[in-house]
């Protein structure tokens, strides 16, 4: 039922129906891990979180313990952090190291994954130290985000996102500073948040005091794109003068760019928004069909990073808006478990959702 339920998304938005409630359950989630998550590009870090040789960051993706690290030569890598001896994690958390020494029996791996030392292994017949290394995953950096892919045959991310790269150039996202995240335990299917993030149809209902007065739902629209991504534009009500921002606007933006914000997704779940003075990265770490951790990272131009007062105000505003969205996601998760839940219809304001569901349907059917 699960792949089929999603595969039925009509290729005409005006005729399409939203996914069946079964698409949000455990069986569908297991399929998504195999066919979508392990074949897609997943963002796990920002390059400035791994600025110096030896900087590392542990992350678990769908049960896979990984570590992102900048090696001595300055190259970024994402390695399995499962020890090649008897599978303990060679490292946890984040920090800076010159090598990874497994705490269990003290095998030592270089930052490039090579085995450097393995005590008391001289009697193991034919043990070839040079053949032992932590497996590396495919990694690409895009706009300052470090992405990984479990699929060695997946198309290059840079090639898939080429139209988006040019589109985002004015904001210079790759040079931004990544600030401390705001962390939310999120007891919902991951798609509920992606769907909430990718439409502004709900500004009038859910954000009547925060977003609707400045970025009205009715004038938002998703661009026509071809690729595993979506861009939703949110024009300001008044386009004659720049919107007021807490931080100084990014240098060189046009009046058009200073009178809207963009919401972006690289499917399956790299989510970001682009405002005239900052970018937000919504990092989803799925745990099961009905739970993930959400980390919201503000990213700002280097010159703005020291403005702690404005940044605290910005955080409070982001949290306020997210609390409004939490109310929605809590209720939708409960609603999708109802025996009376069914397939809905899309508004034209939900085109990016339909693009997302079409992407999922294609991947699940493949
Ligand atoms: S499990 Fe890592 S050294 Fe034994
Ligand atoms: Fe919202």
């Amino acid at each position: 039922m699960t792949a089929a339920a999603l595969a039925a998304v009509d290729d005409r938005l005006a005729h399409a129906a939203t996914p069946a409630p079964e698409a949000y359950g455990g069986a569908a989630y297991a399929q998504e891990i195999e066919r979508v998550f392990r074949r897609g590009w997943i963002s796990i870090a920002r390059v400035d979180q791994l600025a110096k040789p030896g900087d590392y960051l542990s992350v678990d993706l769908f049960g896979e313990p990984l570590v992102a690290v900048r090696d001595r030569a300055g190259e970024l890598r994402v390695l399995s952090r499962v020890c090649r001896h008897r599978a303990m994690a060679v490292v946890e958390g984040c920090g800076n190291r010159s090598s990874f020494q497994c705490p269990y029996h003290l095998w030592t791996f270089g930052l490039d994954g090579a085995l450097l030392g393995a005590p008391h292994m001289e009697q193991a017949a034919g043990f070839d130290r040079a053949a032992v290394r932590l497996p590396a995953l495919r990694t690409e950096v895009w706009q300052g985000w470090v992405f990984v892919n479990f699929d060695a045959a997946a198309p290059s991310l840079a090639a898939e996102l080429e139209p988006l790269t040019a589109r985002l150039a004015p904001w210079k996202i790759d040079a931004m500073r990544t600030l401390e995240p705001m962390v939310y335990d999120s007891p919902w299917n991951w798609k509920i948040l992606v769907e909430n993030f990718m439409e502004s149809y709900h500004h009038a209902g859910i954000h009547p005091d925060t977003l609707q007065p400045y970025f009205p739902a009715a004038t938002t629209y998703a661009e026509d794109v071809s690729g595993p991504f979506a861009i939703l534009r949110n024009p300001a009500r008044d386009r004659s003068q720049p919107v007021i921002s807490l931080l100084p606007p990014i240098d060189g933006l046009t009046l058009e760019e200073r009178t809207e914000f963009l919401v972006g997704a690289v499917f399956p779940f790299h989510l970001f928004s682009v405002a005239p003075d900052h970018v937000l990265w919504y990092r989803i770490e799925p745990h099961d069909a009905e739970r993930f951790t959400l980390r919201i990272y503000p990213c700002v131009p280097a010159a703005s990073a020291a403005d702690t007062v404005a940044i605290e105000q910005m955080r409070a505003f982001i949290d306020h808006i997210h609390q409004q969205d939490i109310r929605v996601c809590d209720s939708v998760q409960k609603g999708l478990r109802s025996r009376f839940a069914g397939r809905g219809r899309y508004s034209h304001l939900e085109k990016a959702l339909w693009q997302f569901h079409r992407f999922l349907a294609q991947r699940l059917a493949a």
Side-chain angles (χ1 to χ4, degrees), residues 52-135:
K52 299 185 300 296
D55 284 353
Y56 70 93
L57 184 69
S58 307
V59 51
D60 283 40
L61 278 187
F62 339 122
E64 275 298 342
L66 306 176
V67 60
V69 60
R70 191 178 291 277
D71 73 15
R72 285 178 203 235
E75 193 174 327
L76 276 172
R77 293 171 194 274
V78 180
L79 305 171
S80 163
R81 59 178 215 281
V82 176
C83 184
R84 305 303 289 171
H85 176 222
R86 277 175 40 220
M88 183 166 180
V90 298
V91 68
E92 299 284 1
C94 57
N96 186 282
R97 298 197 174 185
S98 56
S99 62
F100 298 125
Q101 186 174 55
C102 179
Y104 204 172
H105 313 94
L106 307 179
W107 285 26
T108 302
F109 298 87
L111 302 178
D112 61 354
L115 180 63
L116 302 178
H120 310 300
M121 290 300 292
E122 59 281 353
Q123 294 179 28
F127 179 67
D128 178 8
R129 213 167 80 173
V132 178
R133 59 187 310 134
L134 300 173

Side-chain angles (χ1 to χ4, degrees), residues 196 199 202-203 206-207 211 321 325:
N196 174 262
E199 53 90 355
H202 72 275
H203 280 189
I206 300 301
H207 307 296
L211 294 171
I321 289 178
D325 286 317

